[in-house]
């Protein structure tokens, strides 16, 4: 062995001693494609314990291990890093996934760079592959990729060094209509996420600094030339070892459409409200303050909007008696009022009798009460006049049936609200008939008992009904009990 060969072997032995303890893997390959040495870290990164298990040369290495890029594309013959270094190529940070040929369920991720060692004449003497185990990094990267792609919120990521997009999720593609190739590789100004933003200058400044970009409204230009209103925000993150910016978006179009639909709906409501032929009003739910009235309201009550709007119902003089409290109680119980009879005040003239209906609604995000009423004053007046005419003309009630008398008394009772009945209102003979009714006697029995004609008895029964504000024999007994009639008269009479 000559001095030159011995010197070369000594240099390599020293080199091996230096790199044996490195945490990075190192593989040494001769220019003739023989794998001559690997440190423990390199062996561990391939799941073997000896250099022989790596293969005697490049061909055997390719047969024992399958390599592919992170995008799942397999490396073909001539593309393996070990083949590229044999060809004299210098490269750095080539990331590949490594699988044993017989078991693809086991894999490692290597970040590989090349190193060419030359002799004293400057010729390649030994070729080296420097391997870094990036398996944990790749696992974290995979988890991030899955989370990023599964996130329904639209998002893109740009690299801060050149401000170009490197990732985009499905939510962004679906929102905008872009395909992935139209986004990846473009700069943030080619696909401008801050177009028409109200704080664009601040966003550009923060992007240059790598700082957080606050939420702001902007317009995204779409592939068809249209624009999408969005809220965009930016958050600095690290992808691998590169500083990046994560942009997230919220689509404003559904909200704007909903606001437009709501606005149109409220406009239609306002038009319909104004045109309603029945008096109607909108009141605040909490205290029944009048918020708006229609033209029919003014025509019936005489109150103009300036007389009643923004004033409480009591102050405005609309409701009489306990009408307001009764309506508020019904609304609190069921949220609505249906055809309830109340008296409504007018600015000038007599109050009017109304059938009031009300419903709780939400208008412009405020809980309100929509109320309408029907004026029944003329109808009630006509009913009273009809009953009075019948009573005047038909003094002889002999041909009236008992049910008809009761119905007439009932009509009269309902059309005379507020009247209080007393026994003193009855004549002597009506009081006798009242006593007989309380004893449970039938009309014929009363006629025999009091010595009256049957028709006279029926006339007095009708008068009793009308004066006591009742409409049946049972109601007469209940009225008598409630007014203390049976006190001291004996239990048998009460029965």
């Amino acid at each position: 062995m000559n001095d030159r060969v011995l010197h070369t072997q000594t240099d390599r032995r020293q080199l091996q001693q230096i790199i044996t303890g490195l945490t990075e893997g190192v593989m040494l390959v001769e220019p003739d494609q023989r794998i001559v040495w690997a440190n423990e870290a390199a062996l561990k990164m391939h799941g073997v314990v000896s250099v022989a298990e790596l293969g005697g040369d490049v061909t055997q290495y390719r047969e024992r291990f399958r390599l592919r890029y992170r995008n799942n594309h397999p490396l073909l013959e001539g593309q393996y890093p070990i083949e590229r270094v044999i060809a004299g190529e210098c490269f750095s940070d080539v990331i590949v996934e490594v699988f044993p040929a017989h078991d693809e369920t086991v894999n490692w991720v290597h970040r590989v760079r090349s190193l060419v060692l030359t002799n004293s004449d400057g010729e390649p003497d030994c070729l080296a592959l420097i391997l870094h185990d990036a398996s944990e990094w790749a696992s974290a990267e995979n988890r991030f990729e899955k989370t990023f792609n599964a996130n329904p919120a639209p998002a893109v990521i740009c690299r801060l060094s050149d401000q170009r997009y490197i990732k985009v999720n499905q939510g962004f593609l679906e929102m905008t209509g872009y395909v992935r190739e139209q986004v990846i590789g473009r700069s943030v100004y080619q696909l401008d996420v801050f177009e028409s933003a109200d704080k664009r200058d601040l966003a550009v400044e923060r992007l240059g600094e790598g700082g957080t970009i606050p939420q702001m409204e902007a317009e995204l230009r779409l592939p068809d030339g249209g624009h999408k209103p969005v809220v965009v925000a930016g958050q600095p993150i690290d992808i691998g070892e590169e500083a990046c910016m994560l942009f997230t978006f919220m689509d404003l179009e559904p909200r704007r459409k909903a606001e437009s639909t709501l606005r149109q709906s409220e406009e239609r409501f306002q038009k319909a409200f104004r045109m309603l032929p029945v008096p109607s009003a909108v009141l605040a739910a909490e205290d029944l303050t009048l918020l708006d009235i229609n033209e029919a309201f003014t025509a019936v009550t005489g109150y103009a909007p300036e007389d009643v709007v923004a004033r409480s119902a009591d102050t405005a003089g609309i409701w009489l008696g306990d009408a307001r409290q009764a309506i508020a109680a019904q609304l609190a119980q069921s949220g609505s009022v249906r055809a309830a009879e109340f008296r409504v005040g007018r600015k000038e003239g007599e109050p009017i009798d109304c059938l009031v209906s009300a419903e709780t609604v939400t208008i412009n995000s405020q809980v309100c009460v929509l109320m309408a009423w029907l004026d029944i004053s003329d109808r009630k007046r006509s009913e009273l006049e009809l009953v009075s005419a019948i009573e005047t003309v038909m003094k002889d009630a002999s041909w009236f049936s008992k049910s008809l008398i009761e119905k007439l008394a009932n009509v009269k009772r309902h059309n005379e609200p507020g009247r209080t009945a007393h026994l003193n209102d009855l004549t002597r003979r009506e009081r006798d008939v009242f006593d007989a009714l309380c004893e449970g006697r039938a009309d014929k029995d009363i006629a025999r008992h009091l010595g009256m004609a049957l028709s006279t008895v029926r006339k007095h029964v009708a008068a009793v009904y009308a004066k006591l504000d009742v409409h049946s024999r049972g109601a007469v007994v209940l009225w008598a009990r409630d007014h203390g009639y049976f006190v001291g008269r004996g239990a048998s009479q009460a029965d």
Side-chain angles (χ1 to χ4, degrees):
M1 182 179 295
N2 57 38
D3 292 341
R4 182 175 182 180
V5 171
L6 179 61
H7 180 71
T8 301
Q9 290 177 343
T10 301
D11 289 345
R12 288 191 176 179
R13 190 162 44 248
Q14 291 173 345
L15 176 63
Q16 291 169 4
Q17 290 174 352
I18 292 172
I19 64 179
T20 294
L22 295 179
T23 57
E24 287 187 315
V26 180
M27 294 173 58
L28 299 181
V29 186
E30 292 285 1
D32 61 3
Q33 300 193 4
R34 289 181 300 112
I35 301 175
V36 295
W37 188 83
N39 68 350
E40 185 177 348
L43 297 176
K44 186 177 180 180
M45 289 181 201
H46 287 83
V48 297
V49 295
S50 68
V51 176
E53 293 179 83
L54 294 175
D57 55 26
V58 171
T59 301
Q60 290 183 6
Y61 179 86
R62 190 173 60 247
E63 292 173 350
R64 296 183 182 187
F65 297 95
R66 300 283 184 261
L67 273 65
R68 70 185 183 193
Y69 293 117
R70 297 294 311 287
N71 59 6
N72 291 323
H73 291 169
L75 274 68
L76 304 178
E77 184 177 347
Q79 295 179 337
Y80 277 44
I82 198 171
E83 295 174 299
R84 291 169 62 181
V85 74
I86 290 295
E89 182 180 348
C90 291
F91 54 85
S92 62
D93 287 337
V94 174
I95 299 177
V96 292
E97 294 185 62
V98 181
F99 299 84
H102 62 279
D103 185 6
E104 290 200 358
T105 62
V106 179
N107 75 299
W108 303 268
V109 178
H110 295 172
R111 182 182 283 116
V112 187
R113 68 180 187 273
S114 64
L115 180 65
V116 178
L117 305 177
T118 59
N119 57 23
S120 58
D121 297 328
E123 297 175 347
D125 181 49
C126 184
L127 309 173
L129 286 179
I130 312 299
L131 312 177
H132 175 76
D133 189 355
S135 299
E136 291 187 6
W137 166 83
S139 176
E141 186 81 358
N142 286 336
R143 291 194 297 271
F144 173 80
E145 286 281 349
K146 291 179 180 179
T147 303
F148 177 73
N149 291 323
N151 188 353
V156 294
I157 297 175
C158 84
R159 190 168 43 223
L160 289 179
S161 59
D162 58 5
Q163 296 187 357
R164 293 188 177 275
Y165 298 116
I166 59 173
K167 294 183 185 295
V168 57
N169 71 354
Q170 190 63 29
F172 183 89
L173 300 178
E174 292 177 355
M175 179 183 73
T176 62
Y178 283 106
V179 296
R180 194 172 301 274
E181 292 73 18
Q182 293 176 298
V183 179
I184 301 300
R186 298 180 69 183
S187 76
V188 294
Y189 301 109
Q190 289 175 310
L191 179 54
D192 193 350
V193 297
F194 303 120
E195 186 171 340
S196 301
D198 51 352
K199 300 178 182 177
R200 177 181 172 81
D201 292 341
L202 174 63
V204 173
E205 179 184 345
R206 293 287 180 84
L207 179 63
E209 298 172 348
T212 300
I213 300 173
Q215 290 187 0
M216 60 186 68
E217 291 191 15
E219 300 279 342
L220 278 179
R221 189 179 298 276
L222 302 180
D224 60 4
H227 288 80
K228 169 79 68 175
V230 297
V231 172
V232 58
Q235 179 64 40
I237 60 172
D238 290 330
I239 303 294
E241 299 178 357
E242 290 187 304
C244 299
M245 181 69 71
L246 169 66
F247 294 111
T248 55
F249 304 85
M250 181 179 71
D251 189 352
L252 286 179
E253 194 168 4
R255 190 180 78 181
R256 290 188 179 180
K257 286 182 178 179
E259 290 174 349
S260 176
T261 300
L262 178 61
R263 185 168 54 254
Q264 293 173 4
S265 175
E266 290 176 347
E267 288 174 355
R268 290 193 294 268
F269 167 78
Q270 284 291 340
K271 290 179 180 179
F273 175 75
R274 300 291 176 201
M275 296 173 60
L276 279 175
V278 296
S280 304
V282 177
L283 305 93
E286 64 273 11
D287 59 2
L288 296 185
T289 298
L290 287 159
L291 303 177
D292 198 4
I293 60 175
N294 68 354
E295 294 178 2
F297 182 103
T298 300
V300 171
T301 65
Y303 287 109
E306 56 270 20
D307 296 326
V308 293
V309 171
R311 300 176 59 188
S312 69
D314 290 337
T315 305
I318 299 298
W319 306 114
L320 302 179
D322 61 351
R324 176 182 172 277
Q325 291 76 7
I327 291 174
Q330 290 191 41
L331 287 171
Q333 181 177 4
S334 62
S336 64
V337 177
R338 290 290 180 269
E341 187 173 327
F342 295 103
R343 305 203 83 193
V344 175
R346 292 195 295 175
K347 189 172 183 179
E348 296 179 1
E350 293 293 324
I352 53 178
D353 295 297
C354 298
L355 290 179
V356 177
S357 294
E359 187 74 34
T360 303
V361 296
T362 300
I363 301 175
N364 292 329
S365 302
Q366 180 180 359
V367 180
C368 302
V369 174
L370 176 61
M371 186 176 294
W373 59 72
L374 178 64
D375 184 355
I376 60 171
S377 299
D378 291 341
R379 189 187 77 186
K380 294 191 67 173
R381 191 178 301 112
S382 298
E383 290 174 351
L384 286 172
E385 290 173 352
L386 176 60
V387 171
S388 179
I390 292 174
E391 290 180 339
T392 301
V393 175
M394 299 297 181
K395 293 297 184 180
D396 183 5
S398 59
W399 59 281
F400 282 96
S401 67
K402 180 172 69 173
S403 61
L404 180 58
I405 292 173
E406 291 180 351
K407 288 179 180 179
L408 288 173
N410 190 33
V411 169
K412 187 170 183 178
R413 178 179 65 86
H414 279 287
N415 285 281
E416 293 180 346
R419 180 179 176 276
T420 304
H422 300 282
L423 282 179
N424 293 336
D425 295 337
L426 304 181
T427 65
R428 184 179 62 82
R429 298 304 281 171
E430 289 169 352
R431 177 61 183 268
D432 293 339
V433 171
F434 170 80
D435 293 340
L437 290 173
C438 291
E439 294 171 0
R441 296 178 182 272
D443 288 354
K444 290 182 179 181
D445 189 18
I446 294 173
R448 287 195 301 270
H449 177 67
L450 298 178
M452 297 181 185
L454 183 59
S455 59
T456 304
V457 171
R458 289 178 176 173
K459 183 175 70 173
H460 289 320
V461 168
V464 169
Y465 285 175
K467 291 181 178 181
L468 297 186
D469 194 18
V470 297
H471 58 85
S472 67
R473 308 171 88 84
V476 170
V477 175
L478 291 175
W479 187 96
R481 185 196 64 188
D482 293 341
H483 288 76
Y485 173 79
F486 295 110
V487 176
R489 295 178 61 88
S492 61
Q493 286 179 307
D495 296 334

